[in-house]
Amino acid sequence: MSLVFAGSGFFGPSDLGGQIHAFKLDHQRPALTPIVVTPQPGTFPVWVGSHPSGKILYASETPSTDGTKLPGCIHAYSIDAHGVITTLGEPQCVGGTVPCHFSILNEHLLVANYGEVSGGSVAALPINPDGSLSPHKCMLPHGAGIGGHPSGRQDESHPHMFQATPDGNFAFVCDLGTNSIWGYSLSDGVLSKCSELALHAGAGPRHISFSQAAPFALVLNELDNTCVPLRYNADNGVLSEVDTLPDRGMVSVLPEGTPGASGGGACEIVISQDGRFGYASIRSCGEQNAAEEAVFNSIAVLELDTETGAVKLLDNISSGGNMPWAHAFAGTNDDFLLVGNQHAKHESEDQDQGSGVIVVFHRDTNTGLLIDSGARAEVQECVSLCVV
Protein backbone atom coordinates (compact mmCIF):
# COMPACT_ATOMS: atom_id res chain seq x y z
CA MET A 1 0.00 0.00 0.00
CA SER A 2 1.16 3.53 -0.79
CA LEU A 3 -0.15 6.95 0.15
CA VAL A 4 -0.78 9.31 -2.75
CA PHE A 5 -1.11 13.09 -2.45
CA ALA A 6 -2.34 15.26 -5.31
CA GLY A 7 -2.39 19.05 -5.53
CA SER A 8 -5.35 20.68 -7.27
CA GLY A 9 -6.47 24.14 -8.32
CA PHE A 10 -5.09 26.55 -10.90
CA PHE A 11 -3.93 30.11 -11.57
CA GLY A 12 -6.32 33.01 -11.20
CA PRO A 13 -9.54 33.45 -9.23
CA SER A 14 -11.22 30.13 -8.55
CA ASP A 15 -14.06 28.89 -6.38
CA LEU A 16 -12.03 25.73 -5.93
CA GLY A 17 -9.00 27.32 -4.27
CA GLY A 18 -6.04 25.16 -3.41
CA GLN A 19 -6.58 21.59 -2.23
CA ILE A 20 -4.51 18.53 -1.38
CA HIS A 21 -6.22 15.20 -2.02
CA ALA A 22 -5.03 12.08 -0.19
CA PHE A 23 -5.56 8.50 -1.41
CA LYS A 24 -4.54 4.99 -0.52
CA LEU A 25 -3.16 2.92 -3.40
CA ASP A 26 -3.85 -0.80 -3.04
CA HIS A 27 -1.08 -2.54 -4.99
CA GLN A 28 -2.93 -5.85 -5.21
CA ARG A 29 -6.12 -4.76 -6.97
CA PRO A 30 -4.86 -2.02 -7.84
CA ALA A 31 -7.23 0.74 -6.68
CA LEU A 32 -7.13 4.31 -5.38
CA THR A 33 -9.31 4.97 -2.32
CA PRO A 34 -9.97 8.60 -1.22
CA ILE A 35 -8.92 9.47 2.34
CA VAL A 36 -9.45 13.20 2.82
CA VAL A 37 -9.31 16.55 1.00
CA THR A 38 -7.36 19.31 2.78
CA PRO A 39 -7.92 22.96 1.75
CA GLN A 40 -4.79 25.07 1.28
CA PRO A 41 -4.54 28.87 0.96
CA GLY A 42 -3.72 30.37 -2.42
CA THR A 43 -4.68 29.22 -5.87
CA PHE A 44 -3.11 25.76 -5.90
CA PRO A 45 -0.15 23.62 -4.75
CA VAL A 46 2.06 23.78 -7.84
CA TRP A 47 4.22 21.05 -6.33
CA VAL A 48 3.83 18.52 -3.52
CA GLY A 49 6.66 16.39 -2.17
CA SER A 50 7.58 14.37 0.88
CA HIS A 51 10.47 14.24 3.33
CA PRO A 52 12.61 11.05 3.04
CA SER A 53 11.15 9.94 6.38
CA GLY A 54 7.74 9.66 4.71
CA LYS A 55 6.19 11.47 7.66
CA ILE A 56 6.20 15.05 6.34
CA LEU A 57 4.53 16.53 3.26
CA TYR A 58 5.49 19.85 1.72
CA ALA A 59 3.34 21.86 -0.67
CA SER A 60 3.99 25.12 -2.48
CA GLU A 61 1.48 27.95 -2.40
CA THR A 62 1.00 30.40 -5.23
CA PRO A 63 -1.14 33.25 -3.85
CA SER A 64 -3.26 35.17 -6.30
CA THR A 65 -5.50 38.21 -6.09
CA ASP A 66 -7.55 38.61 -9.26
CA GLY A 67 -4.94 36.64 -11.15
CA THR A 68 -1.96 38.73 -9.97
CA LYS A 69 0.95 36.55 -8.87
CA LEU A 70 2.25 37.34 -5.37
CA PRO A 71 5.32 35.97 -3.53
CA GLY A 72 4.87 32.28 -2.88
CA CYS A 73 5.51 30.13 0.16
CA ILE A 74 5.86 26.52 1.27
CA HIS A 75 3.56 24.72 3.72
CA ALA A 76 4.65 21.77 5.86
CA TYR A 77 2.26 19.03 7.04
CA SER A 78 2.70 16.00 9.26
CA ILE A 79 1.34 12.73 7.83
CA ASP A 80 -0.31 10.28 10.21
CA ALA A 81 -0.55 6.51 9.75
CA HIS A 82 -3.89 6.89 7.93
CA GLY A 83 -2.69 9.52 5.45
CA VAL A 84 -4.35 12.48 7.14
CA ILE A 85 -2.20 15.62 7.03
CA THR A 86 -1.99 18.33 9.71
CA THR A 87 -0.38 21.76 9.40
CA LEU A 88 3.14 21.81 10.85
CA GLY A 89 4.55 25.22 11.79
CA GLU A 90 4.11 28.39 9.78
CA PRO A 91 4.32 28.57 5.99
CA GLN A 92 7.59 30.11 4.86
CA CYS A 93 8.05 32.67 2.09
CA VAL A 94 10.36 31.62 -0.73
CA GLY A 95 11.34 35.13 -1.83
CA GLY A 96 9.96 34.78 -5.34
CA THR A 97 6.80 34.08 -7.33
CA VAL A 98 5.35 30.76 -8.51
CA PRO A 99 7.42 28.21 -6.54
CA CYS A 100 6.99 25.38 -9.03
CA HIS A 101 9.35 22.70 -7.70
CA PHE A 102 11.40 21.77 -4.68
CA SER A 103 13.62 18.93 -3.48
CA ILE A 104 15.61 18.17 -0.34
CA LEU A 105 19.38 18.38 0.13
CA ASN A 106 21.15 18.19 3.50
CA GLU A 107 17.95 18.95 5.44
CA HIS A 108 17.18 22.02 3.35
CA LEU A 109 14.26 22.49 1.00
CA LEU A 110 15.61 23.79 -2.32
CA VAL A 111 12.97 25.79 -4.18
CA ALA A 112 12.73 26.89 -7.82
CA ASN A 113 10.71 30.08 -8.26
CA TYR A 114 9.53 30.28 -11.86
CA GLY A 115 9.07 34.04 -11.56
CA GLU A 116 6.94 36.40 -13.54
CA VAL A 117 7.84 39.80 -15.03
CA SER A 118 11.27 40.20 -13.44
CA GLY A 119 12.54 36.64 -13.83
CA GLY A 120 12.99 33.73 -11.48
CA SER A 121 15.07 32.77 -8.46
CA VAL A 122 16.08 29.89 -6.20
CA ALA A 123 16.01 29.60 -2.42
CA ALA A 124 17.07 27.25 0.38
CA LEU A 125 14.83 26.81 3.44
CA PRO A 126 16.20 24.98 6.52
CA ILE A 127 14.17 21.97 7.68
CA ASN A 128 13.75 21.82 11.46
CA PRO A 129 14.05 18.53 13.42
CA ASP A 130 10.26 18.21 13.54
CA GLY A 131 9.98 18.71 9.76
CA SER A 132 8.70 22.28 9.89
CA LEU A 133 10.50 24.99 7.92
CA SER A 134 12.54 28.02 8.94
CA PRO A 135 12.92 31.24 6.89
CA HIS A 136 15.32 30.97 3.99
CA LYS A 137 18.94 31.98 4.56
CA CYS A 138 19.64 32.25 0.88
CA MET A 139 17.68 33.48 -2.15
CA LEU A 140 19.44 33.98 -5.47
CA PRO A 141 17.92 35.62 -8.58
CA HIS A 142 18.69 34.04 -11.96
CA GLY A 143 18.53 37.33 -13.82
CA ALA A 144 17.78 37.80 -17.50
CA GLY A 145 16.96 35.06 -19.96
CA ILE A 146 18.79 34.22 -23.15
CA GLY A 147 16.12 35.87 -25.34
CA GLY A 148 15.28 35.16 -28.95
CA HIS A 149 12.45 32.65 -28.60
CA PRO A 150 9.30 33.85 -30.42
CA SER A 151 7.13 33.03 -27.41
CA GLY A 152 9.02 35.49 -25.21
CA ARG A 153 9.39 32.79 -22.56
CA GLN A 154 13.17 33.12 -22.69
CA ASP A 155 13.30 36.89 -22.24
CA GLU A 156 13.63 36.36 -18.47
CA SER A 157 14.98 33.51 -16.39
CA HIS A 158 12.44 30.85 -15.40
CA PRO A 159 13.77 28.15 -13.05
CA HIS A 160 11.42 25.20 -13.45
CA MET A 161 13.05 22.57 -11.26
CA PHE A 162 15.63 22.43 -8.44
CA GLN A 163 16.61 18.77 -8.20
CA ALA A 164 19.05 17.33 -5.67
CA THR A 165 21.28 14.49 -6.90
CA PRO A 166 20.81 10.96 -5.51
CA ASP A 167 24.28 11.08 -3.91
CA GLY A 168 23.33 14.18 -1.93
CA ASN A 169 26.31 16.21 -3.14
CA PHE A 170 24.81 18.78 -5.48
CA ALA A 171 21.54 20.11 -6.91
CA PHE A 172 20.67 21.30 -10.40
CA VAL A 173 18.23 23.89 -11.71
CA CYS A 174 16.52 23.58 -15.08
CA ASP A 175 16.06 27.18 -16.22
CA LEU A 176 13.79 27.43 -19.24
CA GLY A 177 14.53 31.14 -19.70
CA THR A 178 18.34 30.96 -19.66
CA ASN A 179 18.17 27.75 -21.72
CA SER A 180 20.64 26.15 -19.36
CA ILE A 181 21.09 23.93 -16.32
CA TRP A 182 22.73 25.47 -13.26
CA GLY A 183 24.65 23.38 -10.74
CA TYR A 184 24.71 24.35 -7.05
CA SER A 185 26.42 23.20 -3.88
CA LEU A 186 24.97 23.90 -0.43
CA SER A 187 26.92 24.72 2.73
CA ASP A 188 25.43 26.02 5.99
CA GLY A 189 22.24 26.94 4.19
CA VAL A 190 24.03 29.02 1.54
CA LEU A 191 23.83 28.11 -2.15
CA SER A 192 26.92 28.48 -4.36
CA LYS A 193 26.81 28.12 -8.12
CA CYS A 194 29.37 25.59 -9.33
CA SER A 195 28.46 25.00 -12.99
CA GLU A 196 26.18 25.92 -15.88
CA LEU A 197 25.49 23.91 -19.01
CA ALA A 198 23.95 25.65 -22.04
CA LEU A 199 21.64 23.50 -24.16
CA HIS A 200 20.86 23.66 -27.87
CA ALA A 201 18.93 26.71 -29.07
CA GLY A 202 15.20 26.64 -28.38
CA ALA A 203 15.36 23.70 -25.97
CA GLY A 204 13.79 25.26 -22.86
CA PRO A 205 14.85 22.76 -20.14
CA ARG A 206 11.97 22.05 -17.76
CA HIS A 207 12.74 18.94 -15.70
CA ILE A 208 15.67 16.61 -15.09
CA SER A 209 15.94 13.14 -13.57
CA PHE A 210 19.10 11.41 -12.36
CA SER A 211 19.90 7.73 -12.71
CA GLN A 212 20.59 5.93 -9.45
CA ALA A 213 22.51 3.23 -11.31
CA ALA A 214 24.79 5.14 -13.72
CA PRO A 215 26.44 8.58 -14.00
CA PHE A 216 23.75 9.94 -16.29
CA ALA A 217 20.74 12.23 -16.15
CA LEU A 218 17.93 12.90 -18.61
CA VAL A 219 16.77 16.47 -19.20
CA LEU A 220 13.35 17.09 -20.73
CA ASN A 221 13.00 20.23 -22.83
CA GLU A 222 9.59 21.90 -22.87
CA LEU A 223 9.95 24.18 -25.88
CA ASP A 224 10.90 21.55 -28.48
CA ASN A 225 9.84 18.24 -26.86
CA THR A 226 13.30 16.72 -26.81
CA CYS A 227 15.16 14.62 -24.26
CA VAL A 228 18.94 14.86 -23.89
CA PRO A 229 21.18 12.52 -21.87
CA LEU A 230 23.81 14.23 -19.74
CA ARG A 231 26.88 12.88 -17.97
CA TYR A 232 27.08 13.75 -14.25
CA ASN A 233 30.43 14.32 -12.53
CA ALA A 234 29.84 13.65 -8.84
CA ASP A 235 33.21 15.13 -7.87
CA ASN A 236 32.65 18.71 -9.02
CA GLY A 237 28.94 19.04 -9.75
CA VAL A 238 29.33 19.42 -13.52
CA LEU A 239 26.94 18.15 -16.18
CA SER A 240 28.15 17.61 -19.74
CA GLU A 241 26.58 16.45 -22.97
CA VAL A 242 27.58 13.01 -24.26
CA ASP A 243 29.72 14.00 -27.26
CA THR A 244 30.31 10.40 -28.34
CA LEU A 245 26.65 9.95 -29.32
CA PRO A 246 25.08 11.13 -32.61
CA ASP A 247 23.39 14.51 -32.06
CA ARG A 248 24.77 14.23 -28.51
CA GLY A 249 22.07 11.69 -27.81
CA MET A 250 19.11 14.04 -28.33
CA VAL A 251 15.80 12.34 -29.15
CA SER A 252 12.23 13.52 -29.61
CA VAL A 253 9.77 12.22 -27.01
CA LEU A 254 7.09 11.94 -29.71
CA PRO A 255 6.97 9.41 -32.56
CA GLU A 256 8.48 10.40 -35.88
CA GLY A 257 5.96 12.20 -38.06
CA THR A 258 3.80 13.50 -35.19
CA PRO A 259 2.25 16.82 -36.34
CA GLY A 260 3.57 19.74 -34.28
CA ALA A 261 6.08 17.50 -32.50
CA SER A 262 8.65 20.28 -32.03
CA GLY A 263 6.11 22.85 -30.79
CA GLY A 264 6.54 22.17 -27.09
CA GLY A 265 4.45 20.90 -24.21
CA ALA A 266 6.83 18.43 -22.55
CA CYS A 267 6.47 18.50 -18.78
CA GLU A 268 7.74 15.85 -16.34
CA ILE A 269 10.41 13.12 -16.52
CA VAL A 270 11.37 10.36 -14.09
CA ILE A 271 13.88 7.47 -14.28
CA SER A 272 13.19 4.03 -12.80
CA GLN A 273 15.40 3.03 -9.88
CA ASP A 274 17.29 0.47 -11.99
CA GLY A 275 18.36 3.31 -14.30
CA ARG A 276 17.12 1.56 -17.45
CA PHE A 277 13.92 3.44 -18.30
CA GLY A 278 12.66 7.01 -18.35
CA TYR A 279 9.08 8.29 -18.55
CA ALA A 280 8.20 11.72 -19.91
CA SER A 281 4.82 13.47 -20.11
CA ILE A 282 3.85 15.67 -23.05
CA ARG A 283 0.79 17.93 -22.85
CA SER A 284 -0.06 20.19 -25.80
CA CYS A 285 1.42 23.15 -27.66
CA GLY A 286 0.00 26.36 -29.00
CA GLU A 287 0.05 30.10 -28.45
CA GLN A 288 2.00 29.91 -25.17
CA ASN A 289 5.02 28.55 -27.02
CA ALA A 290 4.35 30.47 -30.26
CA ALA A 291 3.51 27.24 -32.05
CA GLU A 292 0.61 25.81 -34.00
CA GLU A 293 -1.91 24.11 -31.73
CA ALA A 294 -1.36 20.38 -31.29
CA VAL A 295 -2.60 18.04 -28.59
CA PHE A 296 -0.39 15.17 -27.41
CA ASN A 297 -1.53 14.13 -23.89
CA SER A 298 0.88 11.24 -23.81
CA ILE A 299 3.60 9.46 -21.86
CA ALA A 300 6.85 8.62 -23.62
CA VAL A 301 8.68 5.45 -22.57
CA LEU A 302 12.42 5.85 -22.99
CA GLU A 303 15.22 3.29 -22.72
CA LEU A 304 18.54 4.49 -21.27
CA ASP A 305 21.77 2.61 -21.97
CA THR A 306 23.56 2.65 -18.60
CA GLU A 307 26.94 2.12 -20.31
CA THR A 308 26.85 4.76 -23.05
CA GLY A 309 24.01 7.09 -22.04
CA ALA A 310 22.19 6.54 -25.33
CA VAL A 311 18.42 7.08 -25.22
CA LYS A 312 15.80 5.33 -27.35
CA LEU A 313 12.06 6.06 -27.62
CA LEU A 314 10.35 2.71 -26.96
CA ASP A 315 6.72 3.76 -26.85
CA ASN A 316 4.36 6.71 -26.57
CA ILE A 317 0.92 6.09 -25.08
CA SER A 318 -2.12 8.11 -24.01
CA SER A 319 -1.88 9.65 -20.54
CA GLY A 320 -5.53 8.74 -19.97
CA GLY A 321 -6.66 12.35 -19.73
CA ASN A 322 -5.85 15.92 -20.72
CA MET A 323 -2.76 17.92 -19.69
CA PRO A 324 -0.59 15.37 -17.78
CA TRP A 325 1.33 17.68 -15.42
CA ALA A 326 2.92 15.16 -13.10
CA HIS A 327 3.65 11.47 -12.63
CA ALA A 328 5.32 9.33 -10.00
CA PHE A 329 6.33 5.73 -9.33
CA ALA A 330 4.75 3.46 -6.72
CA GLY A 331 5.71 -0.01 -5.52
CA THR A 332 8.95 -1.62 -4.32
CA ASN A 333 10.35 -1.95 -7.84
CA ASP A 334 8.52 1.02 -9.36
CA ASP A 335 5.77 -1.43 -10.30
CA PHE A 336 3.29 1.35 -11.08
CA LEU A 337 3.39 4.76 -12.71
CA LEU A 338 0.68 7.19 -11.55
CA VAL A 339 -0.14 10.02 -13.96
CA GLY A 340 -1.97 13.18 -12.88
CA ASN A 341 -4.05 14.79 -15.64
CA GLN A 342 -5.45 18.29 -15.13
CA HIS A 343 -8.63 17.42 -17.05
CA ALA A 344 -10.43 14.30 -18.17
CA LYS A 345 -10.60 15.34 -21.83
CA HIS A 346 -9.39 17.98 -24.26
CA GLU A 347 -11.96 20.64 -25.14
CA SER A 348 -11.85 24.36 -25.89
CA GLU A 349 -11.58 26.56 -22.80
CA ASP A 350 -15.25 27.57 -22.96
CA GLN A 351 -16.38 23.93 -22.83
CA ASP A 352 -16.44 21.42 -19.99
CA GLN A 353 -13.18 19.48 -19.97
CA GLY A 354 -14.25 17.28 -17.09
CA SER A 355 -12.63 16.66 -13.74
CA GLY A 356 -8.94 15.96 -13.50
CA VAL A 357 -7.98 12.31 -13.19
CA ILE A 358 -5.14 10.21 -11.78
CA VAL A 359 -4.49 7.15 -13.95
CA VAL A 360 -2.60 4.11 -12.61
CA PHE A 361 -0.40 2.21 -15.07
CA HIS A 362 1.22 -1.17 -14.49
CA ARG A 363 4.92 -1.05 -15.38
CA ASP A 364 6.67 -4.06 -16.85
CA THR A 365 9.99 -3.93 -15.01
CA ASN A 366 11.72 -6.01 -17.71
CA THR A 367 10.59 -4.15 -20.84
CA GLY A 368 9.73 -0.79 -19.27
CA LEU A 369 6.40 -0.70 -21.11
CA LEU A 370 3.22 0.61 -19.48
CA ILE A 371 -0.25 -0.97 -19.37
CA ASP A 372 -3.32 0.92 -18.18
CA SER A 373 -4.54 -0.89 -15.04
CA GLY A 374 -7.99 0.65 -15.24
CA ALA A 375 -7.61 2.24 -11.79
CA ARG A 376 -8.71 5.88 -11.67
CA ALA A 377 -9.36 8.66 -9.18
CA GLU A 378 -10.97 12.04 -9.85
CA VAL A 379 -9.05 15.12 -8.72
CA GLN A 380 -10.40 18.47 -9.88
CA GLU A 381 -7.62 20.36 -11.73
CA CYS A 382 -4.86 17.88 -10.77
CA VAL A 383 -1.47 19.57 -11.23
CA SER A 384 0.96 17.86 -8.83
CA LEU A 385 1.48 14.37 -7.45
CA CYS A 386 3.48 12.67 -4.71
CA VAL A 387 3.66 9.01 -3.63
CA VAL A 388 4.80 8.10 -0.10
Side-chain angles (χ1 to χ4, degrees):
M1 191 271 289
S2 299
L3 294 175
V4 179
F5 297 95
S8 70
F10 211 63
F11 286 120
S14 171
D15 293 335
L16 177 67
Q19 296 179 334
I20 299 174
H21 298 245
F23 299 88
K24 287 182 181 178
L25 172 64
D26 183 333
H27 294 188
Q28 298 301 316
R29 295 170 56 188
L32 284 165
T33 303
I35 301 172
V36 67
V37 178
T38 303
Q40 179 177 290
T43 51
F44 70 109
V46 189
W47 193 257
V48 289
S50 64
H51 188 273
S53 67
K55 297 180 179 180
I56 309 295
L57 183 75
Y58 300 104
S60 62
E61 175 193 343
T62 303
S64 179
T65 303
D66 297 329
T68 302
K69 311 302 185 299
L70 302 174
C73 61
I74 306 293
H75 294 256
Y77 301 91
S78 61
I79 307 172
D80 73 10
H82 304 288
V84 177
I85 61 175
T86 304
T87 299
L88 187 63
E90 296 295 321
Q92 296 296 332
C93 177
V94 295
T97 59
V98 192
C100 57
H101 183 270
F102 52 78
S103 64
I104 295 175
L105 179 66
N106 299 333
E107 290 304 303
H108 284 75
L109 201 72
L110 306 184
V111 184
N113 298 314
Y114 180 83
E116 288 301 311
V117 178
S118 59
S121 60
V122 295
L125 283 67
I127 299 174
N128 299 318
D130 67 351
S132 62
L133 298 171
S134 290
H136 61 78
K137 290 184 180 179
C138 179
M139 191 281 288
L140 302 176
H142 266 210
I146 193 172
H149 195 272
S151 68
R153 295 186 65 197
Q154 293 190 319
D155 293 349
E156 301 289 345
S157 59
H158 291 302
H160 238 305
M161 184 181 221
F162 202 167
Q163 182 60 52
T165 55
D167 57 25
N169 292 332
F170 299 96
F172 291 86
V173 176
C174 289
D175 194 316
L176 184 148
T178 64
N179 206 54
S180 60
I181 303 174
W182 303 40
Y184 283 97
S185 61
L186 178 72
S187 179
D188 295 325
V190 177
L191 293 164
S192 299
K193 184 180 177 183
C194 58
S195 66
E196 184 175 359
L197 174 67
L199 297 182
H200 61 272
R206 181 184 176 99
H207 277 199
I208 189 170
S209 185
F210 287 83
S211 170
Q212 299 179 51
F216 296 107
L218 296 179
V219 61
L220 183 65
N221 299 310
E222 178 178 350
L223 295 182
D224 67 358
N225 293 333
T226 60
C227 176
V228 178
L230 302 174
R231 189 179 297 277
Y232 166 55
N233 188 321
D235 294 327
N236 57 12
V238 171
L239 291 174
S240 57
E241 293 183 314
V242 187
D243 293 333
T244 54
L245 297 174
D247 295 326
R248 299 184 178 180
M250 181 176 67
V251 298
S252 173
V253 291
L254 291 163
E256 185 175 355
T258 300
S262 62
C267 190
E268 169 73 301
I269 188 166
V270 295
I271 296 177
S272 58
Q273 58 187 277
D274 62 8
R276 297 171 56 209
F277 302 104
Y279 301 85
S281 61
I282 311 97
R283 299 162 299 174
S284 60
C285 63
E287 184 179 352
Q288 182 186 22
N289 291 335
E292 292 294 325
E293 183 175 353
V295 179
F296 309 118
N297 291 333
S298 63
I299 304 295
V301 181
L302 305 162
E303 184 176 37
L304 173 62
D305 188 318
T306 57
E307 296 294 326
T308 67
V311 181
K312 178 182 178 182
L313 178 64
L314 292 180
D315 200 5
N316 187 283
I317 66 170
S318 169
S319 68
N322 179 47
M323 297 293 282
W325 282 81
H327 53 272
F329 293 118
T332 305
N333 299 308
D334 299 339
D335 307 288
F336 302 96
L337 187 75
L338 279 67
V339 178
N341 295 279
Q342 184 185 349
H343 308 293
K345 57 186 177 180
H346 177 76
E347 299 285 357
S348 61
E349 290 185 2
D350 59 349
Q351 293 180 299
D352 181 17
Q353 300 183 76
S355 175
V357 60
I358 299 174
V359 179
V360 180
F361 292 90
H362 280 292
R363 193 181 78 89
D364 187 316
T365 57
N366 292 316
T367 66
L369 298 179
L370 300 174
I371 301 173
D372 190 339
S373 73
R376 300 281 194 279
E378 285 193 4
V379 176
Q380 187 72 24
E381 299 271 10
C382 183
V383 291
S384 53
L385 198 62
C386 169
V387 177
V388 179

PDB file of all heavy atoms in Angstrom, residues 92-95 123-126 134-139:
ATOM      1  N   GLN A  92       6.427  29.257   5.008  1.00  0.00           N
ATOM      2  CA  GLN A  92       7.595  30.111   4.856  1.00  0.00           C
ATOM      3  C   GLN A  92       7.672  30.685   3.446  1.00  0.00           C
ATOM      4  O   GLN A  92       7.512  29.963   2.451  1.00  0.00           O
ATOM      5  CB  GLN A  92       8.881  29.336   5.166  1.00  0.00           C
ATOM      6  CG  GLN A  92       8.991  28.860   6.605  1.00  0.00           C
ATOM      7  CD  GLN A  92       9.056  30.011   7.605  1.00  0.00           C
ATOM      8  OE1 GLN A  92       9.528  31.106   7.271  1.00  0.00           O
ATOM      9  NE2 GLN A  92       8.584  29.770   8.823  1.00  0.00           N
ATOM     10  N   CYS A  93       7.912  31.978   3.374  1.00  0.00           N
ATOM     11  CA  CYS A  93       8.052  32.671   2.093  1.00  0.00           C
ATOM     12  C   CYS A  93       9.311  32.195   1.377  1.00  0.00           C
ATOM     13  O   CYS A  93      10.341  31.923   2.002  1.00  0.00           O
ATOM     14  CB  CYS A  93       8.119  34.177   2.328  1.00  0.00           C
ATOM     15  SG  CYS A  93       8.368  35.156   0.828  1.00  0.00           S
ATOM     16  N   VAL A  94       9.221  32.090   0.053  1.00  0.00           N
ATOM     17  CA  VAL A  94      10.363  31.617  -0.733  1.00  0.00           C
ATOM     18  C   VAL A  94      11.097  32.751  -1.439  1.00  0.00           C
ATOM     19  O   VAL A  94      12.077  32.516  -2.149  1.00  0.00           O
ATOM     20  CB  VAL A  94       9.908  30.569  -1.765  1.00  0.00           C
ATOM     21  CG1 VAL A  94       9.387  29.333  -1.061  1.00  0.00           C
ATOM     22  CG2 VAL A  94       8.855  31.141  -2.706  1.00  0.00           C
ATOM     23  N   GLY A  95      10.629  33.987  -1.270  1.00  0.00           N
ATOM     24  CA  GLY A  95      11.343  35.127  -1.834  1.00  0.00           C
ATOM     25  C   GLY A  95      11.126  35.365  -3.304  1.00  0.00           C
ATOM     26  O   GLY A  95      11.761  36.238  -3.901  1.00  0.00           O
ATOM     27  N   ALA A 123      15.877  29.346  -3.856  1.00  0.00           N
ATOM     28  CA  ALA A 123      16.010  29.602  -2.425  1.00  0.00           C
ATOM     29  C   ALA A 123      16.244  28.294  -1.684  1.00  0.00           C
ATOM     30  O   ALA A 123      15.910  27.212  -2.179  1.00  0.00           O
ATOM     31  CB  ALA A 123      14.741  30.287  -1.878  1.00  0.00           C
ATOM     32  N   ALA A 124      16.833  28.395  -0.487  1.00  0.00           N
ATOM     33  CA  ALA A 124      17.074  27.245   0.380  1.00  0.00           C
ATOM     34  C   ALA A 124      16.462  27.519   1.744  1.00  0.00           C
ATOM     35  O   ALA A 124      16.818  28.494   2.399  1.00  0.00           O
ATOM     36  CB  ALA A 124      18.573  26.983   0.516  1.00  0.00           C
ATOM     37  N   LEU A 125      15.515  26.657   2.158  1.00  0.00           N
ATOM     38  CA  LEU A 125      14.833  26.808   3.444  1.00  0.00           C
ATOM     39  C   LEU A 125      15.274  25.690   4.390  1.00  0.00           C
ATOM     40  O   LEU A 125      15.148  24.511   4.054  1.00  0.00           O
ATOM     41  CB  LEU A 125      13.319  26.739   3.277  1.00  0.00           C
ATOM     42  CG  LEU A 125      12.579  27.968   2.732  1.00  0.00           C
ATOM     43  CD1 LEU A 125      12.940  28.254   1.289  1.00  0.00           C
ATOM     44  CD2 LEU A 125      11.059  27.769   2.853  1.00  0.00           C
ATOM     45  N   PRO A 126      15.798  26.018   5.564  1.00  0.00           N
ATOM     46  CA  PRO A 126      16.199  24.983   6.522  1.00  0.00           C
ATOM     47  C   PRO A 126      14.998  24.172   7.005  1.00  0.00           C
ATOM     48  O   PRO A 126      13.920  24.716   7.240  1.00  0.00           O
ATOM     49  CB  PRO A 126      16.817  25.774   7.680  1.00  0.00           C
ATOM     50  CG  PRO A 126      17.163  27.110   7.093  1.00  0.00           C
ATOM     51  CD  PRO A 126      16.126  27.373   6.046  1.00  0.00           C
ATOM     52  N   SER A 134      12.085  26.723   8.457  1.00  0.00           N
ATOM     53  CA  SER A 134      12.540  28.024   8.938  1.00  0.00           C
ATOM     54  C   SER A 134      12.687  28.966   7.750  1.00  0.00           C
ATOM     55  O   SER A 134      12.770  28.517   6.602  1.00  0.00           O
ATOM     56  CB  SER A 134      13.872  27.892   9.670  1.00  0.00           C
ATOM     57  OG  SER A 134      13.723  27.223  10.900  1.00  0.00           O
ATOM     58  N   PRO A 135      12.739  30.287   7.994  1.00  0.00           N
ATOM     59  CA  PRO A 135      12.921  31.239   6.890  1.00  0.00           C
ATOM     60  C   PRO A 135      14.201  30.948   6.110  1.00  0.00           C
ATOM     61  O   PRO A 135      15.192  30.465   6.663  1.00  0.00           O
ATOM     62  CB  PRO A 135      13.001  32.591   7.610  1.00  0.00           C
ATOM     63  CG  PRO A 135      12.255  32.386   8.878  1.00  0.00           C
ATOM     64  CD  PRO A 135      12.544  30.968   9.294  1.00  0.00           C
ATOM     65  N   HIS A 136      14.156  31.256   4.829  1.00  0.00           N
ATOM     66  CA  HIS A 136      15.320  30.973   3.987  1.00  0.00           C
ATOM     67  C   HIS A 136      16.512  31.854   4.371  1.00  0.00           C
ATOM     68  O   HIS A 136      16.355  33.036   4.681  1.00  0.00           O
ATOM     69  CB  HIS A 136      14.988  31.166   2.506  1.00  0.00           C
ATOM     70  CG  HIS A 136      14.572  32.551   2.108  1.00  0.00           C
ATOM     71  ND1 HIS A 136      15.458  33.575   1.930  1.00  0.00           N
ATOM     72  CD2 HIS A 136      13.349  33.072   1.845  1.00  0.00           C
ATOM     73  CE1 HIS A 136      14.815  34.666   1.566  1.00  0.00           C
ATOM     74  NE2 HIS A 136      13.529  34.393   1.514  1.00  0.00           N
ATOM     75  N   LYS A 137      17.691  31.248   4.347  1.00  0.00           N
ATOM     76  CA  LYS A 137      18.935  31.981   4.561  1.00  0.00           C
ATOM     77  C   LYS A 137      19.474  32.547   3.253  1.00  0.00           C
ATOM     78  O   LYS A 137      20.263  33.486   3.242  1.00  0.00           O
ATOM     79  CB  LYS A 137      20.003  31.060   5.163  1.00  0.00           C
ATOM     80  CG  LYS A 137      19.779  30.628   6.601  1.00  0.00           C
ATOM     81  CD  LYS A 137      20.961  29.803   7.070  1.00  0.00           C
ATOM     82  CE  LYS A 137      20.811  29.344   8.505  1.00  0.00           C
ATOM     83  NZ  LYS A 137      21.972  28.526   8.944  1.00  0.00           N
ATOM     84  N   CYS A 138      19.047  31.923   2.172  1.00  0.00           N
ATOM     85  CA  CYS A 138      19.640  32.255   0.879  1.00  0.00           C
ATOM     86  C   CYS A 138      18.567  32.282  -0.197  1.00  0.00           C
ATOM     87  O   CYS A 138      17.760  31.353  -0.303  1.00  0.00           O
ATOM     88  CB  CYS A 138      20.706  31.213   0.545  1.00  0.00           C
ATOM     89  SG  CYS A 138      21.529  31.450  -1.035  1.00  0.00           S
ATOM     90  N   MET A 139      18.546  33.373  -0.982  1.00  0.00           N
ATOM     91  CA  MET A 139      17.678  33.478  -2.149  1.00  0.00           C
ATOM     92  C   MET A 139      18.487  34.144  -3.247  1.00  0.00           C
ATOM     93  O   MET A 139      19.037  35.229  -3.057  1.00  0.00           O
ATOM     94  CB  MET A 139      16.419  34.286  -1.834  1.00  0.00           C
ATOM     95  CG  MET A 139      15.338  34.205  -2.926  1.00  0.00           C
ATOM     96  SD  MET A 139      15.635  35.246  -4.361  1.00  0.00           S
ATOM     97  CE  MET A 139      15.309  36.879  -3.673  1.00  0.00           C
TER      98      MET A 139
END
